[in-house]
Amino acid sequence: MSEFENVPAASSVPADQRTMALAAHLLGIFTGFIGALIIWLINKDDASKAFVTDQSKEALNFQITVAIAMFVCVILSFVIIGMILAPIVGLLSLVFSIIAAVKANNGEAYRYPFSLRLIK
């Protein structure tokens, strides 16, 4: 089974769904996992919005992973290494979220490379 099982082809994704998927990825920069969670909860039961559901779930999983990594950085800051790792985690979160937003706006399903798949 493919990891993109119910996602429509890139050319068939409507503009409103691409915009919502873009918002799910970009909201992670400003709101952490809350923005992606709200978009996922609104659209998860609508089968016609499979692209939005898939991409908001992907953004949610990634932002939860970032939150866990930042928590670990706070714990490790007592031994200095956390203060070095926290800006790196923040920068990677920013870069990957922007890449995902661009791909979603093009109608392509994106998978974050370092994401825990907690919500399936």
Side-chain angles (χ1 to χ4, degrees):
M1 237 183 189
S2 171
E3 61 183 326
F4 302 105
E5 52 192 57
N6 292 326
V7 180
S11 62
S12 66
V13 178
D16 64 331
Q17 289 190 36
R18 287 185 286 160
T19 303
M20 288 295 287
L22 170 115
H25 291 294
L26 287 183
L27 280 173
I29 297 171
F30 303 105
T31 65
F33 65 88
I34 301 297
L37 176 64
I38 290 170
I39 291 175
W40 179 65
L41 287 174
I42 290 171
N43 296 297
K44 71 176 183 162
D45 295 327
D46 191 354
S48 66
K49 295 186 178 181
F51 184 73
V52 177
T53 302
D54 177 67
Q55 290 302 294
S56 60
K57 185 174 20 172
E58 186 66 23
L60 177 59
N61 281 329
F62 180 69
Q63 293 304 325
I64 290 172
T65 304
V66 169
I68 292 169
M70 286 303 227
F71 179 74
V72 170
C73 287
V74 168
I75 300 295
L76 291 176
S77 68
F78 294 111
V79 289
I80 308 299
I81 194 161
M83 289 185 266
I84 297 168
L85 291 177
I88 294 170
V89 170
L91 182 64
L92 288 175
S93 172
L94 177 69
V95 169
F96 286 137
S97 294
I98 291 172
I99 292 170
V102 169
K103 295 280 189 178
N105 195 41
N106 291 335
E108 302 171 35
Y110 181 76
R111 295 289 178 248
Y112 289 95
F114 302 112
S115 179
L116 300 173
R117 308 277 187 247
L118 299 173
I119 300 175
K120 302 202 185 252

